[in-house]
Amino acid sequence: LSSPRCSGYLFQRVGKIAATAVGGGFLLLQIANHSGYVQVDWKKVEKDVNKAKKHLKKKANRAAPEINSFIEESTEFVKRNVVLSSGFIGGFLLGLAS
């Protein structure tokens, strides 16, 4: 096997395992939450997500202006085309899992 072929095969296998682990972990977490084994502090989650957003925004503002404009245009495109974007993401994840 050549090196690119071998690494492609390896990444394909690792990608499938990672997708399965993330999906399975999410499913188990939802079942545990629903059954009462785990309680999620949603206010803390929201606070941490907002903190991460602020941190990323600060980092993005220091980046090159071209990157900032690309991110803003991409975000606007996704907001305007939610159905198309969600279809793309779903297809991408299905392709990753298979």
Side-chain angles (χ1 to χ4, degrees), residues 14-30:
V14 170
K16 287 181 183 180
I17 292 169
T20 303
V22 169
F26 183 72
L27 180 63
L28 288 175
L29 184 61
Q30 290 296 327

Side-chain angles (χ1 to χ4, degrees), residues 31-70:
I31 291 170
N33 184 29
H34 184 69
S35 299
Y37 290 108
V38 176
Q39 285 189 322
V40 179
D41 184 0
W42 291 109
K43 289 183 180 183
K44 183 169 176 22
V45 171
E46 184 179 0
K47 181 180 151 189
D48 290 344
V49 167
N50 287 334
K51 189 188 292 185
K53 277 185 191 177
K54 288 179 186 177
H55 181 71
L56 287 173
K57 209 170 218 180
K58 284 182 183 178
K59 292 275 188 182
N61 288 337
R62 286 188 232 145
E66 301 87 29
I67 295 173
N68 288 336
S69 65
F70 175 75

